[in-house]
Amino acid sequence: MNIVDYLQSERSVEFIVNRIAENLELYRGVDTEQKVFSFSGVLYNYFVNECVMNNQYLAFSKDDYSRVRGIYIALINDLRNLSSGDIPMSDIGTIVRDHRRRLIGLLSAKQSMVDVIVPCAEYSPGFQKKILRVDGDSLMQPVMDIGCGQKASLVKELRKDGVKAFGIDQYISTDKHITCESWMDFKFNDSTWGTILAHMSFSNHLRRCITFNDADLPRYKEKYSEILGSLRHRGSFIYCPSLPEIEAGIDRQKYNVAYYANNDDELLNTVYVTSI
């Protein structure tokens, strides 16, 4: 069942309505704007996680982030404003269905991306370091992890080791080192980063664009060039999977390209593109 099917399911609506009815006082207790904003972030992250776990290629723009959070703020306000006492289940049901219609409307604009199920996983920092062949001592700083995940576990481990590491992903975080933003919207300024990491994230999406000749392919190629331009002298863009079609066009007078095999499939190579 994809995410839209779930949102349209009457069975799931009834389940959520019953859960809300059991915990209605929780919503009424969200009695300040700050609490509403904070709680909406929790619900936003849950929704985005469900979408990404259903299909890792479902990408949200900066405007989408704001719309989703706004939809959850509206839900919280509608529920907290219900009068005290016994509330008819039909009233809660109306609020839930209106809320889901708004979410479905947003997702419908990305229909080609929600018709398939491509699960996503968040990898341990140890596994990522092994695949990318990095450790805190060898990384040129500062470090940016593209698609760091909701837990941002690699960023946190690197920072624990004294590395100036940062991350971007589509999850809201209270960690000041993590930016909630699409990598397509994030501005990679020239000569800024010592190391940029992307384990099964940016290059995985670019690989998909190449495979299906996706309409976003030109934008991804442009962003790839922007990422390279944001490296400091001798800085590296380290990623997996590889992109042979893109790497073939890299100016070898400006960048060195090195490959590290992870298995017999060269498309799963780890790639180091280093500014020289």
Side-chain angles (χ1 to χ4, degrees):
M1 178 184 294
N2 67 35
I3 191 68
V4 171
D5 290 338
Y6 170 77
L7 290 171
Q8 292 175 331
S9 165
E10 274 301 311
R11 182 176 180 180
S12 72
V13 168
E14 291 175 8
F15 174 78
I16 293 299
V17 167
N18 287 327
R19 289 293 301 274
I20 290 174
E22 294 169 0
N23 297 278
L24 198 54
E25 289 305 314
L26 183 152
Y27 289 89
R28 290 172 177 156
V30 183
D31 53 6
T32 67
E33 292 306 311
Q34 180 57 44
K35 288 182 180 179
V36 170
F37 192 74
S38 177
F39 190 30
S40 69
V42 173
L43 297 178
Y44 164 95
N45 279 346
Y46 178 81
F47 173 74
V48 170
N49 185 65
E50 287 298 302
C51 289
V52 172
M53 291 303 294
N54 183 266
N55 181 4
Q56 62 178 298
Y57 297 113
L58 183 62
F60 292 106
S61 69
K62 187 180 296 185
D63 288 342
D64 292 332
Y65 298 155
S66 297
R67 287 182 61 193
V68 171
R69 191 162 197 171
I71 289 170
Y72 276 101
I73 288 174
L75 171 67
I76 295 167
N77 283 328
D78 287 344
L79 291 173
R80 68 195 276 256
N81 289 333
L82 287 173
S83 59
S84 59
D86 292 333
I87 304 298
M89 298 290 275
S90 59
D91 288 0
I92 300 174
T94 297
I95 291 173
V96 170
R97 289 182 177 86
D98 286 345
H99 164 74
R100 289 188 165 204
R101 273 193 289 270
R102 296 186 190 108
L103 292 177
I104 291 169
L106 185 149
L107 290 171
S108 293
K110 304 173 181 296
Q111 191 61 43
S112 63
M113 301 295 285
V114 298
D115 283 339
V116 295
I117 297 177
V118 188
C120 178
E122 192 160 343
Y123 301 91
S124 71
F127 180 79
Q128 293 181 69
K129 289 165 78 173
K130 178 180 178 181
I131 294 296
L132 297 177
R133 293 164 175 78
V134 299
D135 61 67
D137 295 333
S138 66
L139 290 173
M140 184 175 175
Q141 301 181 45
V143 175
M144 168 58 75
D145 185 5
I146 301 177
C148 61
Q150 185 173 8
K151 297 177 182 177
S153 54
L154 181 55
V155 173
K156 291 176 180 177
E157 177 154 316
L158 290 173
R159 293 197 70 86
K160 186 173 64 176
D161 293 338
V163 177
K164 294 180 181 178
F166 303 85
I168 55 173
D169 211 310
Q170 51 194 351
Y171 295 101
I172 294 170
S173 175
T174 57
D175 189 328
K176 64 182 181 181
H177 305 110
I178 308 301
T179 299
C180 176
E181 193 164 5
S182 162
W183 52 59
M184 298 302 286
D185 291 329
F186 186 84
K187 177 61 178 175
F188 291 89
N189 294 316
D190 291 348
S191 303
T192 299
W193 301 101
T195 306
I196 298 176
L197 305 174
H199 175 251
M200 297 301 290
S201 56
F202 178 83
S203 66
N204 200 27
H205 284 240
L206 178 46
R207 161 57 46 203
R208 180 185 183 279
C209 286
I210 293 170
T211 301
F212 295 99
N213 195 26
D214 192 89
D216 280 335
L217 180 56
R219 292 180 62 232
Y220 265 90
K221 288 182 176 180
E222 183 178 347
K223 183 58 67 171
Y224 183 95
S225 296
E226 181 183 299
I227 291 171
L228 294 190
S230 74
L231 294 172
R232 293 181 171 180
H233 179 54
R234 296 184 180 176
S236 296
F237 181 24
I238 305 172
Y239 58 87
C240 176
S242 63
L243 301 162
E245 302 91 335
I246 303 298
E247 291 136 16
I250 293 176
D251 185 347
R252 295 307 203 272
Q253 298 299 314
K254 295 181 179 180
Y255 300 96
N256 178 61
V257 182
Y259 296 93
Y260 300 90
N262 292 311
N263 62 23
D264 293 334
D265 186 351
E266 68 172 12
L267 293 181
L268 294 178
N269 285 346
T270 294
V271 184
Y272 275 56
V273 183
T274 303
S275 174
I276 55 178

